[in-house]
Amino acid sequence: MDETEWLAERFEQHRSRLRAVAYRMLGSRTEADDAVQDAWLRLSRSDAGQIGNLEGWLTTVVARECLHMLRSRRHRREDSFAAQLPDPIVVPDADLDPEQEALLADSVGLALLVVLDRLNPAERLAFVLHDMFELPFDEIAGIVGRTPAATRQLASRARRRVNGAEIRLPDPDLARQRRVVDAFYAAARAGDFDALVQILDPDVVLSTDYGPGGRPAVIRGASAVAKLARAPRGGQLHPVLVNGALGVVITLDGQPLAILVFTVADDKIVAIDGIREPGRVRRAAAVLAESGASPSVTSSASEGSKS
């Protein structure tokens, strides 16, 4: 084994963790992969023999690249909410192979990613590296160019904002979640308004990146959401896991149309996130195709709701 192969092998040992750091920092799988690739290029051009702690060195390189991307993003951010949505991590809702399990391990809920996207870049970096990956503030301080005390304050401010968002966590029992979501599908197919209201939490929130007029929309309350739940004619619904939560990819005439993500807690649907931005939907559909998932759907989910 030559030096390049040896170095590549050592890098691969850290790739999964580096991707997890970058995805939480950026909310974009493509940009996360770019940041990790940048770390490999820098490593391949460095004197690896002089690096005492390779994992720490690589994490620092990835974090600095993510910080640069976040700052650039803030300068050029478009007004469209769709441009700010995190990229979902989508896998078929079936037995997972090791690669898919690794993807889920790298995932974090979409709701948390949306909250993280509201932090400024330095706050996000401090929170992600300290609270999610347990890096000491002394190391983070060097990346953000602050003192350890100031870095601690960055993480503290970010933590207050995350906690203040009161993100509802889904029931950890996927089978229990499926029963609730299947009941939602059945009520939507039957047009049973009362049953839909019973399945939905009274304070349920439906968020979509493409509402009336092409603008994002947020609908609150069981009655308001139930009125919008209907089965699209000719639509097929492919069960998936989206960042660890139950979801579906909706196709119409064989073409991917939308992604729905359900948050189920205490046997009620407390949130539904709809993604219709074409690029993200196409990438989700591509994941299904690459995994060999059949385009046909399960009997319990042969039709779906469309917001």
Side-chain angles (χ1 to χ4, degrees):
M1 180 183 296
D2 63 25
E3 183 176 351
T4 301
E5 291 176 336
W6 173 80
L7 195 59
E9 185 176 282
R10 292 194 64 195
F11 179 81
E12 288 301 321
Q13 294 171 1
H14 301 288
R15 181 184 289 276
S16 293
R17 184 175 186 275
L18 297 175
R19 288 183 67 195
V21 169
Y23 179 67
R24 285 160 172 78
M25 283 287 298
L26 300 167
S28 164
R29 294 180 62 183
T30 300
E31 290 184 343
D33 285 340
D34 288 344
V36 173
Q37 182 63 19
D38 180 75
W40 161 247
L41 292 174
R42 295 194 183 194
L43 178 62
S44 65
R45 297 166 184 166
S46 302
D47 183 357
Q50 300 300 312
I51 301 174
N53 178 359
L54 182 59
E55 181 180 54
W57 187 92
L58 288 170
T59 301
T60 297
V61 170
V62 167
R64 284 178 172 157
E65 180 61 20
C66 290
L67 187 61
H68 171 72
M69 289 181 177
L70 287 173
R71 286 170 173 166
S72 297
R73 182 190 295 175
R74 286 177 73 88
H75 288 305
R76 57 180 167 78
R77 173 159 284 172
E78 300 174 357
D79 292 334
S80 170
F81 180 74
Q84 304 173 35
L85 283 175
D87 278 342
I89 292 180
V90 178
V91 299
D93 184 9
D95 294 334
L96 305 180
D97 61 31
E99 182 177 354
Q100 291 167 339
E101 289 179 351
L103 279 174
L104 282 186
D106 284 355
S107 72
V108 62
L110 292 180
L112 177 56
L113 285 172
V114 170
V115 174
L116 292 179
D117 203 45
R118 297 170 185 159
L119 305 176
N120 70 47
E123 288 173 343
R124 185 168 185 169
L125 185 143
F127 177 82
V128 168
L129 292 185
H130 182 267
D131 286 45
M132 294 184 171
F133 294 95
E134 301 181 342
L135 263 68
F137 287 117
D138 287 350
E139 294 183 20
I140 302 171
I143 300 173
V144 296
R146 310 282 183 92
T147 65
T151 304
R152 185 184 298 273
Q153 288 300 312
L154 288 173
S156 179
R157 287 200 300 270
R159 195 178 305 116
R160 286 195 297 270
R161 295 186 65 180
V162 171
N163 292 338
E166 297 182 350
I167 298 168
R168 295 288 296 272
L169 298 178
D171 190 314
D173 187 340
L174 283 177
R176 190 170 176 176
Q177 289 188 50
R178 287 189 187 96
R179 287 194 293 271
V180 175
V181 174
D182 282 350
F184 174 84
Y185 296 150
R189 288 196 299 272
D192 190 335
F193 177 83
D194 291 336
L196 284 166
V197 170
Q198 289 299 313
I199 296 163
L200 298 167
D201 184 88
D203 298 317
V204 64
V205 177
L206 167 64
S207 304
T208 177
D209 62 348
Y210 195 85
R215 302 294 297 175
V218 177
I219 296 92
R220 302 178 186 276
S223 294
V225 173
K227 290 176 182 177
L228 296 174
R230 61 190 185 276
R233 293 182 180 179
Q236 290 189 308
L237 201 143
H238 309 269
V240 292
L241 295 176
V242 184
N243 288 59
L246 285 184
V248 292
V249 173
I250 299 173
T251 59
L252 189 62
D253 297 328
Q255 298 300 312
L257 177 68
I259 305 169
L260 292 181
V261 189
F262 298 88
T263 302
V264 178
D266 300 323
D267 293 323
K268 298 282 187 180
I269 295 175
V270 300
I272 305 173
D273 293 294
I275 301 173
R276 294 191 63 186
E277 194 276 316
R280 289 179 171 87
V281 176
R282 281 196 302 270
R283 286 193 288 274
V287 168
L288 294 178
E290 291 169 1
S291 70
S294 171
S296 61
V297 296
T298 63
S299 58
S300 64
S302 60
E303 297 179 69
S305 66
K306 178 181 176 184
S307 301

PDB file of all heavy atoms in Angstrom, residues 174-203:
ATOM      1  N   LEU A 174     -41.683   3.322  15.279  1.00  0.00           N
ATOM      2  CA  LEU A 174     -42.136   3.534  13.900  1.00  0.00           C
ATOM      3  C   LEU A 174     -43.432   2.797  13.601  1.00  0.00           C
ATOM      4  O   LEU A 174     -44.274   3.285  12.842  1.00  0.00           O
ATOM      5  CB  LEU A 174     -41.042   3.102  12.917  1.00  0.00           C
ATOM      6  CG  LEU A 174     -39.864   4.058  12.724  1.00  0.00           C
ATOM      7  CD1 LEU A 174     -38.832   3.445  11.788  1.00  0.00           C
ATOM      8  CD2 LEU A 174     -40.341   5.399  12.178  1.00  0.00           C
ATOM      9  N   ALA A 175     -43.610   1.607  14.171  1.00  0.00           N
ATOM     10  CA  ALA A 175     -44.842   0.858  13.924  1.00  0.00           C
ATOM     11  C   ALA A 175     -46.040   1.641  14.448  1.00  0.00           C
ATOM     12  O   ALA A 175     -47.101   1.683  13.809  1.00  0.00           O
ATOM     13  CB  ALA A 175     -44.764  -0.514  14.584  1.00  0.00           C
ATOM     14  N   ARG A 176     -45.884   2.272  15.584  1.00  0.00           N
ATOM     15  CA  ARG A 176     -46.966   3.081  16.150  1.00  0.00           C
ATOM     16  C   ARG A 176     -47.236   4.291  15.257  1.00  0.00           C
ATOM     17  O   ARG A 176     -48.394   4.665  15.029  1.00  0.00           O
ATOM     18  CB  ARG A 176     -46.563   3.515  17.550  1.00  0.00           C
ATOM     19  CG  ARG A 176     -47.666   4.155  18.370  1.00  0.00           C
ATOM     20  CD  ARG A 176     -47.207   4.320  19.807  1.00  0.00           C
ATOM     21  NE  ARG A 176     -48.172   5.013  20.618  1.00  0.00           N
ATOM     22  CZ  ARG A 176     -48.029   5.218  21.922  1.00  0.00           C
ATOM     23  NH1 ARG A 176     -46.927   4.774  22.535  1.00  0.00           N
ATOM     24  NH2 ARG A 176     -48.950   5.854  22.603  1.00  0.00           N
ATOM     25  N   GLN A 177     -46.159   4.893  14.738  1.00  0.00           N
ATOM     26  CA  GLN A 177     -46.334   6.015  13.818  1.00  0.00           C
ATOM     27  C   GLN A 177     -47.095   5.583  12.567  1.00  0.00           C
ATOM     28  O   GLN A 177     -47.973   6.302  12.075  1.00  0.00           O
ATOM     29  CB  GLN A 177     -44.969   6.579  13.400  1.00  0.00           C
ATOM     30  CG  GLN A 177     -44.212   7.328  14.482  1.00  0.00           C
ATOM     31  CD  GLN A 177     -42.976   8.003  13.901  1.00  0.00           C
ATOM     32  OE1 GLN A 177     -43.060   8.697  12.899  1.00  0.00           O
ATOM     33  NE2 GLN A 177     -41.836   7.797  14.531  1.00  0.00           N
ATOM     34  N   ARG A 178     -46.734   4.401  12.052  1.00  0.00           N
ATOM     35  CA  ARG A 178     -47.367   3.937  10.815  1.00  0.00           C
ATOM     36  C   ARG A 178     -48.871   3.757  10.992  1.00  0.00           C
ATOM     37  O   ARG A 178     -49.647   4.037  10.084  1.00  0.00           O
ATOM     38  CB  ARG A 178     -46.731   2.608  10.367  1.00  0.00           C
ATOM     39  CG  ARG A 178     -45.332   2.756   9.802  1.00  0.00           C
ATOM     40  CD  ARG A 178     -44.843   1.459   9.180  1.00  0.00           C
ATOM     41  NE  ARG A 178     -43.442   1.568   8.796  1.00  0.00           N
ATOM     42  CZ  ARG A 178     -42.433   1.154   9.545  1.00  0.00           C
ATOM     43  NH1 ARG A 178     -42.657   0.596  10.728  1.00  0.00           N
ATOM     44  NH2 ARG A 178     -41.192   1.296   9.127  1.00  0.00           N
ATOM     45  N   ARG A 179     -49.293   3.257  12.141  1.00  0.00           N
ATOM     46  CA  ARG A 179     -50.727   3.068  12.367  1.00  0.00           C
ATOM     47  C   ARG A 179     -51.474   4.399  12.279  1.00  0.00           C
ATOM     48  O   ARG A 179     -52.568   4.478  11.702  1.00  0.00           O
ATOM     49  CB  ARG A 179     -50.963   2.409  13.736  1.00  0.00           C
ATOM     50  CG  ARG A 179     -50.590   0.938  13.784  1.00  0.00           C
ATOM     51  CD  ARG A 179     -51.148   0.260  15.020  1.00  0.00           C
ATOM     52  NE  ARG A 179     -50.545   0.753  16.254  1.00  0.00           N
ATOM     53  CZ  ARG A 179     -49.447   0.241  16.807  1.00  0.00           C
ATOM     54  NH1 ARG A 179     -48.821  -0.775  16.219  1.00  0.00           N
ATOM     55  NH2 ARG A 179     -48.972   0.732  17.935  1.00  0.00           N
ATOM     56  N   VAL A 180     -50.874   5.432  12.846  1.00  0.00           N
ATOM     57  CA  VAL A 180     -51.512   6.749  12.818  1.00  0.00           C
ATOM     58  C   VAL A 180     -51.544   7.299  11.395  1.00  0.00           C
ATOM     59  O   VAL A 180     -52.571   7.803  10.928  1.00  0.00           O
ATOM     60  CB  VAL A 180     -50.780   7.722  13.768  1.00  0.00           C
ATOM     61  CG1 VAL A 180     -51.361   9.131  13.654  1.00  0.00           C
ATOM     62  CG2 VAL A 180     -50.863   7.231  15.205  1.00  0.00           C
ATOM     63  N   VAL A 181     -50.419   7.202  10.687  1.00  0.00           N
ATOM     64  CA  VAL A 181     -50.357   7.744   9.324  1.00  0.00           C
ATOM     65  C   VAL A 181     -51.257   6.944   8.380  1.00  0.00           C
ATOM     66  O   VAL A 181     -51.927   7.513   7.509  1.00  0.00           O
ATOM     67  CB  VAL A 181     -48.900   7.769   8.823  1.00  0.00           C
ATOM     68  CG1 VAL A 181     -48.833   8.185   7.358  1.00  0.00           C
ATOM     69  CG2 VAL A 181     -48.062   8.724   9.672  1.00  0.00           C
ATOM     70  N   ASP A 182     -51.329   5.620   8.557  1.00  0.00           N
ATOM     71  CA  ASP A 182     -52.230   4.817   7.733  1.00  0.00           C
ATOM     72  C   ASP A 182     -53.683   5.228   7.959  1.00  0.00           C
ATOM     73  O   ASP A 182     -54.494   5.260   7.020  1.00  0.00           O
ATOM     74  CB  ASP A 182     -52.053   3.325   8.047  1.00  0.00           C
ATOM     75  CG  ASP A 182     -50.816   2.735   7.397  1.00  0.00           C
ATOM     76  OD1 ASP A 182     -50.209   3.425   6.548  1.00  0.00           O
ATOM     77  OD2 ASP A 182     -50.441   1.597   7.732  1.00  0.00           O
ATOM     78  N   ALA A 183     -54.015   5.543   9.207  1.00  0.00           N
ATOM     79  CA  ALA A 183     -55.378   6.001   9.505  1.00  0.00           C
ATOM     80  C   ALA A 183     -55.650   7.340   8.815  1.00  0.00           C
ATOM     81  O   ALA A 183     -56.766   7.599   8.340  1.00  0.00           O
ATOM     82  CB  ALA A 183     -55.576   6.117  11.016  1.00  0.00           C
ATOM     83  N   PHE A 184     -54.622   8.189   8.742  1.00  0.00           N
ATOM     84  CA  PHE A 184     -54.759   9.473   8.038  1.00  0.00           C
ATOM     85  C   PHE A 184     -55.023   9.236   6.553  1.00  0.00           C
ATOM     86  O   PHE A 184     -55.916   9.864   5.962  1.00  0.00           O
ATOM     87  CB  PHE A 184     -53.479  10.287   8.236  1.00  0.00           C
ATOM     88  CG  PHE A 184     -53.432  11.573   7.453  1.00  0.00           C
ATOM     89  CD1 PHE A 184     -54.024  12.725   7.946  1.00  0.00           C
ATOM     90  CD2 PHE A 184     -52.794  11.625   6.220  1.00  0.00           C
ATOM     91  CE1 PHE A 184     -53.982  13.915   7.230  1.00  0.00           C
ATOM     92  CE2 PHE A 184     -52.744  12.802   5.485  1.00  0.00           C
ATOM     93  CZ  PHE A 184     -53.344  13.951   5.999  1.00  0.00           C
ATOM     94  N   TYR A 185     -54.257   8.298   5.943  1.00  0.00           N
ATOM     95  CA  TYR A 185     -54.472   7.997   4.530  1.00  0.00           C
ATOM     96  C   TYR A 185     -55.896   7.495   4.296  1.00  0.00           C
ATOM     97  O   TYR A 185     -56.573   7.902   3.343  1.00  0.00           O
ATOM     98  CB  TYR A 185     -53.509   6.904   4.057  1.00  0.00           C
ATOM     99  CG  TYR A 185     -52.056   7.273   4.101  1.00  0.00           C
ATOM    100  CD1 TYR A 185     -51.083   6.281   4.317  1.00  0.00           C
ATOM    101  CD2 TYR A 185     -51.622   8.579   3.912  1.00  0.00           C
ATOM    102  CE1 TYR A 185     -49.744   6.589   4.346  1.00  0.00           C
ATOM    103  CE2 TYR A 185     -50.291   8.890   3.942  1.00  0.00           C
ATOM    104  CZ  TYR A 185     -49.344   7.897   4.165  1.00  0.00           C
ATOM    105  OH  TYR A 185     -48.031   8.196   4.198  1.00  0.00           O
ATOM    106  N   ALA A 186     -56.351   6.579   5.158  1.00  0.00           N
ATOM    107  CA  ALA A 186     -57.678   5.995   4.987  1.00  0.00           C
ATOM    108  C   ALA A 186     -58.757   7.066   5.086  1.00  0.00           C
ATOM    109  O   ALA A 186     -59.709   7.084   4.293  1.00  0.00           O
ATOM    110  CB  ALA A 186     -57.902   4.902   6.037  1.00  0.00           C
ATOM    111  N   ALA A 187     -58.623   7.965   6.050  1.00  0.00           N
ATOM    112  CA  ALA A 187     -59.612   9.032   6.207  1.00  0.00           C
ATOM    113  C   ALA A 187     -59.569   9.990   5.030  1.00  0.00           C
ATOM    114  O   ALA A 187     -60.615  10.479   4.570  1.00  0.00           O
ATOM    115  CB  ALA A 187     -59.356   9.780   7.522  1.00  0.00           C
ATOM    116  N   ALA A 188     -58.368  10.274   4.514  1.00  0.00           N
ATOM    117  CA  ALA A 188     -58.248  11.166   3.361  1.00  0.00           C
ATOM    118  C   ALA A 188     -58.885  10.546   2.126  1.00  0.00           C
ATOM    119  O   ALA A 188     -59.583  11.224   1.359  1.00  0.00           O
ATOM    120  CB  ALA A 188     -56.774  11.487   3.100  1.00  0.00           C
ATOM    121  N   ARG A 189     -58.694   9.231   1.924  1.00  0.00           N
ATOM    122  CA  ARG A 189     -59.300   8.556   0.767  1.00  0.00           C
ATOM    123  C   ARG A 189     -60.825   8.575   0.847  1.00  0.00           C
ATOM    124  O   ARG A 189     -61.513   8.740  -0.151  1.00  0.00           O
ATOM    125  CB  ARG A 189     -58.806   7.106   0.677  1.00  0.00           C
ATOM    126  CG  ARG A 189     -57.370   6.947   0.239  1.00  0.00           C
ATOM    127  CD  ARG A 189     -57.103   5.506  -0.193  1.00  0.00           C
ATOM    128  NE  ARG A 189     -57.321   4.565   0.893  1.00  0.00           N
ATOM    129  CZ  ARG A 189     -56.398   4.208   1.782  1.00  0.00           C
ATOM    130  NH1 ARG A 189     -55.193   4.746   1.712  1.00  0.00           N
ATOM    131  NH2 ARG A 189     -56.667   3.326   2.714  1.00  0.00           N
ATOM    132  N   ALA A 190     -61.304   8.402   2.084  1.00  0.00           N
ATOM    133  CA  ALA A 190     -62.757   8.346   2.267  1.00  0.00           C
ATOM    134  C   ALA A 190     -63.387   9.729   2.338  1.00  0.00           C
ATOM    135  O   ALA A 190     -64.621   9.845   2.316  1.00  0.00           O
ATOM    136  CB  ALA A 190     -63.073   7.570   3.541  1.00  0.00           C
ATOM    137  N   GLY A 191     -62.547  10.764   2.421  1.00  0.00           N
ATOM    138  CA  GLY A 191     -63.086  12.107   2.579  1.00  0.00           C
ATOM    139  C   GLY A 191     -63.794  12.286   3.906  1.00  0.00           C
ATOM    140  O   GLY A 191     -64.747  13.062   4.010  1.00  0.00           O
ATOM    141  N   ASP A 192     -63.324  11.566   4.935  1.00  0.00           N
ATOM    142  CA  ASP A 192     -63.966  11.588   6.257  1.00  0.00           C
ATOM    143  C   ASP A 192     -63.359  12.717   7.091  1.00  0.00           C
ATOM    144  O   ASP A 192     -62.337  12.539   7.757  1.00  0.00           O
ATOM    145  CB  ASP A 192     -63.777  10.238   6.941  1.00  0.00           C
ATOM    146  CG  ASP A 192     -64.620  10.088   8.200  1.00  0.00           C
ATOM    147  OD1 ASP A 192     -64.965  11.117   8.808  1.00  0.00           O
ATOM    148  OD2 ASP A 192     -64.902   8.937   8.574  1.00  0.00           O
ATOM    149  N   PHE A 193     -63.998  13.863   7.064  1.00  0.00           N
ATOM    150  CA  PHE A 193     -63.480  15.046   7.746  1.00  0.00           C
ATOM    151  C   PHE A 193     -63.362  14.814   9.247  1.00  0.00           C
ATOM    152  O   PHE A 193     -62.346  15.157   9.864  1.00  0.00           O
ATOM    153  CB  PHE A 193     -64.385  16.244   7.455  1.00  0.00           C
ATOM    154  CG  PHE A 193     -63.977  17.503   8.169  1.00  0.00           C
ATOM    155  CD1 PHE A 193     -62.982  18.324   7.649  1.00  0.00           C
ATOM    156  CD2 PHE A 193     -64.587  17.865   9.367  1.00  0.00           C
ATOM    157  CE1 PHE A 193     -62.599  19.483   8.317  1.00  0.00           C
ATOM    158  CE2 PHE A 193     -64.214  19.027  10.038  1.00  0.00           C
ATOM    159  CZ  PHE A 193     -63.216  19.834   9.508  1.00  0.00           C
ATOM    160  N   ASP A 194     -64.390  14.246   9.860  1.00  0.00           N
ATOM    161  CA  ASP A 194     -64.377  14.048  11.309  1.00  0.00           C
ATOM    162  C   ASP A 194     -63.242  13.116  11.724  1.00  0.00           C
ATOM    163  O   ASP A 194     -62.589  13.339  12.752  1.00  0.00           O
ATOM    164  CB  ASP A 194     -65.719  13.477  11.783  1.00  0.00           C
ATOM    165  CG  ASP A 194     -66.853  14.495  11.662  1.00  0.00           C
ATOM    166  OD1 ASP A 194     -66.560  15.712  11.660  1.00  0.00           O
ATOM    167  OD2 ASP A 194     -68.009  14.066  11.563  1.00  0.00           O
ATOM    168  N   ALA A 195     -63.017  12.060  10.942  1.00  0.00           N
ATOM    169  CA  ALA A 195     -61.929  11.131  11.268  1.00  0.00           C
ATOM    170  C   ALA A 195     -60.569  11.822  11.142  1.00  0.00           C
ATOM    171  O   ALA A 195     -59.666  11.588  11.957  1.00  0.00           O
ATOM    172  CB  ALA A 195     -61.984   9.913  10.343  1.00  0.00           C
ATOM    173  N   LEU A 196     -60.432  12.670  10.131  1.00  0.00           N
ATOM    174  CA  LEU A 196     -59.174  13.406   9.966  1.00  0.00           C
ATOM    175  C   LEU A 196     -58.911  14.309  11.166  1.00  0.00           C
ATOM    176  O   LEU A 196     -57.783  14.375  11.679  1.00  0.00           O
ATOM    177  CB  LEU A 196     -59.223  14.236   8.686  1.00  0.00           C
ATOM    178  CG  LEU A 196     -59.043  13.470   7.374  1.00  0.00           C
ATOM    179  CD1 LEU A 196     -59.441  14.344   6.190  1.00  0.00           C
ATOM    180  CD2 LEU A 196     -57.611  12.981   7.220  1.00  0.00           C
ATOM    181  N   VAL A 197     -59.934  14.995  11.617  1.00  0.00           N
ATOM    182  CA  VAL A 197     -59.767  15.894  12.760  1.00  0.00           C
ATOM    183  C   VAL A 197     -59.339  15.113  13.999  1.00  0.00           C
ATOM    184  O   VAL A 197     -58.520  15.582  14.799  1.00  0.00           O
ATOM    185  CB  VAL A 197     -61.073  16.673  13.032  1.00  0.00           C
ATOM    186  CG1 VAL A 197     -60.987  17.425  14.364  1.00  0.00           C
ATOM    187  CG2 VAL A 197     -61.347  17.654  11.894  1.00  0.00           C
ATOM    188  N   GLN A 198     -59.874  13.890  14.166  1.00  0.00           N
ATOM    189  CA  GLN A 198     -59.507  13.073  15.318  1.00  0.00           C
ATOM    190  C   GLN A 198     -58.063  12.600  15.259  1.00  0.00           C
ATOM    191  O   GLN A 198     -57.405  12.437  16.286  1.00  0.00           O
ATOM    192  CB  GLN A 198     -60.444  11.856  15.404  1.00  0.00           C
ATOM    193  CG  GLN A 198     -61.865  12.203  15.811  1.00  0.00           C
ATOM    194  CD  GLN A 198     -61.929  12.853  17.185  1.00  0.00           C
ATOM    195  OE1 GLN A 198     -61.323  12.373  18.147  1.00  0.00           O
ATOM    196  NE2 GLN A 198     -62.662  13.963  17.274  1.00  0.00           N
ATOM    197  N   ILE A 199     -57.551  12.394  14.061  1.00  0.00           N
ATOM    198  CA  ILE A 199     -56.172  11.914  13.886  1.00  0.00           C
ATOM    199  C   ILE A 199     -55.167  13.045  14.071  1.00  0.00           C
ATOM    200  O   ILE A 199     -54.033  12.825  14.511  1.00  0.00           O
ATOM    201  CB  ILE A 199     -56.015  11.272  12.488  1.00  0.00           C
ATOM    202  CG1 ILE A 199     -56.893  10.027  12.374  1.00  0.00           C
ATOM    203  CG2 ILE A 199     -54.552  10.917  12.197  1.00  0.00           C
ATOM    204  CD1 ILE A 199     -57.120   9.581  10.948  1.00  0.00           C
ATOM    205  N   LEU A 200     -55.581  14.259  13.748  1.00  0.00           N
ATOM    206  CA  LEU A 200     -54.688  15.413  13.819  1.00  0.00           C
ATOM    207  C   LEU A 200     -54.693  16.030  15.214  1.00  0.00           C
ATOM    208  O   LEU A 200     -55.736  16.123  15.860  1.00  0.00           O
ATOM    209  CB  LEU A 200     -55.118  16.466  12.796  1.00  0.00           C
ATOM    210  CG  LEU A 200     -55.066  16.045  11.321  1.00  0.00           C
ATOM    211  CD1 LEU A 200     -55.805  17.061  10.457  1.00  0.00           C
ATOM    212  CD2 LEU A 200     -53.625  15.885  10.857  1.00  0.00           C
ATOM    213  N   ASP A 201     -53.509  16.454  15.654  1.00  0.00           N
ATOM    214  CA  ASP A 201     -53.412  17.206  16.901  1.00  0.00           C
ATOM    215  C   ASP A 201     -54.170  18.530  16.732  1.00  0.00           C
ATOM    216  O   ASP A 201     -54.147  19.124  15.644  1.00  0.00           O
ATOM    217  CB  ASP A 201     -51.945  17.473  17.221  1.00  0.00           C
ATOM    218  CG  ASP A 201     -51.749  18.158  18.555  1.00  0.00           C
ATOM    219  OD1 ASP A 201     -51.642  17.453  19.560  1.00  0.00           O
ATOM    220  OD2 ASP A 201     -51.705  19.411  18.572  1.00  0.00           O
ATOM    221  N   PRO A 202     -54.861  19.007  17.769  1.00  0.00           N
ATOM    222  CA  PRO A 202     -55.599  20.272  17.622  1.00  0.00           C
ATOM    223  C   PRO A 202     -54.729  21.432  17.136  1.00  0.00           C
ATOM    224  O   PRO A 202     -55.224  22.327  16.452  1.00  0.00           O
ATOM    225  CB  PRO A 202     -56.122  20.528  19.038  1.00  0.00           C
ATOM    226  CG  PRO A 202     -56.216  19.171  19.656  1.00  0.00           C
ATOM    227  CD  PRO A 202     -55.065  18.393  19.085  1.00  0.00           C
ATOM    228  N   ASP A 203     -53.428  21.395  17.480  1.00  0.00           N
ATOM    229  CA  ASP A 203     -52.522  22.476  17.084  1.00  0.00           C
ATOM    230  C   ASP A 203     -51.592  22.058  15.949  1.00  0.00           C
ATOM    231  O   ASP A 203     -50.491  22.603  15.800  1.00  0.00           O
ATOM    232  CB  ASP A 203     -51.698  22.935  18.290  1.00  0.00           C
ATOM    233  CG  ASP A 203     -52.557  23.490  19.408  1.00  0.00           C
ATOM    234  OD1 ASP A 203     -53.499  24.255  19.101  1.00  0.00           O
ATOM    235  OD2 ASP A 203     -52.313  23.162  20.585  1.00  0.00           O
TER     236      ASP A 203
END
